[in-house]
Amino acid sequence: MKNIFLIALSIITISCNAQIYPLDTSPSDIPNNAYIKDTNNELDKYVGLWKGIWSGKTLYLELKKVKTSSSIPGDTHPYYKDRIIGERKVIGSNGTVEIDRISNFDNEGAEFSGIGVSLKNANWKRLYFYPKNMCRKTATLDITSFTGNQMTLHFEYLPSIIDSNCQHNAYVDQYGNFPINFPKDIVLTKQ
């Protein structure tokens, strides 16, 4: 009886391990409920608190690696994947906190998500930025350089549908952009 139990346990263990795939696996190539896992710890170098200065302001960007539930758009093919998510804190030049999402880090609705390959340059990595209360306006952050404990980010808006009821329309009309409070380019240092 003990041998049957051990054989059954071995089969279950092997079949569970067969459901784990490396990060570069396409979701369409895996079975339902598989796990695209950071088996080589490729995402770990991004994890942590990062700090940079622009126009007298201080930006803190906290990045975490989490296991998320996903599916292929338009399909019911569920799977799990390790991703980087992030939140930010912006302190103005006068010391006032302008944005603080780090203190209440939101794993379910984080402002930043990724890491993927940039569409502009295959050598760059990309984070997606979903700023809160910006009428579904989104952006990308391309990591154009990463060496040791520093990374350079390049911010770019993604095309979006204009929301005629957006509370920021007057600001956009006057200044040409949304008040997202994020630099176009910044060098961040890991803390």
Side-chain angles (χ1 to χ4, degrees):
M1 185 68 162
K2 185 177 180 181
N3 287 341
I4 293 173
F5 175 74
L6 289 174
I7 291 170
L9 183 61
S10 296
I11 291 171
I12 290 170
T13 302
I14 291 169
S15 63
C16 286
N17 287 339
Q19 298 292 312
I20 294 176
Y21 298 86
L23 277 180
D24 62 352
T25 304
S26 170
S28 61
D29 295 338
I30 61 174
N32 284 351
N33 297 312
Y35 181 12
I36 299 176
K37 185 178 173 125
D38 184 17
T39 55
N40 295 322
N41 300 318
E42 299 166 52
L43 299 177
D44 290 352
K45 67 183 181 180
Y46 302 103
V47 173
L49 184 65
W50 298 83
K51 177 183 175 184
I53 308 289
W54 99 95
S55 300
K57 295 183 180 189
T58 303
L59 170 70
Y60 291 94
L61 181 61
E62 185 174 357
L63 301 176
K64 295 179 180 181
K65 179 170 75 171
V66 296
K67 179 180 177 181
T68 60
S69 174
S70 302
S71 64
I72 297 173
D75 191 0
T76 57
H77 181 70
Y79 64 97
Y80 299 92
K81 183 173 184 175
D82 283 341
R83 295 179 193 274
I84 293 293
I85 61 170
E87 295 285 18
R88 66 184 164 141
K89 181 175 186 176
V90 177
I91 300 174
S93 56
N94 61 359
T96 56
V97 176
E98 296 177 2
I99 296 172
D100 184 3
R101 293 189 47 84
I102 290 176
S103 294
N104 296 309
F105 199 105
D106 183 3
N107 282 1
E108 297 301 315
E111 283 193 313
F112 303 91
S113 177
I115 294 271
V117 176
S118 171
L119 301 177
K120 286 190 162 197
N121 182 328
N123 294 320
W124 296 350
K125 296 296 182 188
R126 174 171 278 184
L127 283 167
Y128 290 92
F129 183 22
Y130 308 98
K132 301 302 176 203
N133 304 317
M134 289 294 151
C135 307
R136 296 184 308 249
K137 188 68 175 169
T138 60
T140 59
L141 295 174
D142 283 330
I143 301 170
T144 59
S145 173
F146 192 102
T147 53
N149 67 343
Q150 286 194 326
M151 68 175 161
T152 303
L153 300 179
H154 175 71
F155 171 95
E156 233 175 84
Y157 285 112
L158 288 169
S160 64
I161 296 171
I162 296 171
D163 181 352
S164 60
N165 297 318
C166 180
Q167 71 268 25
H168 301 295
N169 285 342
Y171 185 93
V172 173
D173 289 343
Q174 184 175 356
Y175 298 103
N177 272 324
F178 281 78
I180 288 185
N181 204 358
F182 203 89
K184 179 85 171 160
D185 293 286
I186 190 167
V187 175
L188 300 177
T189 303
K190 197 170 200 177
Q191 301 302 292

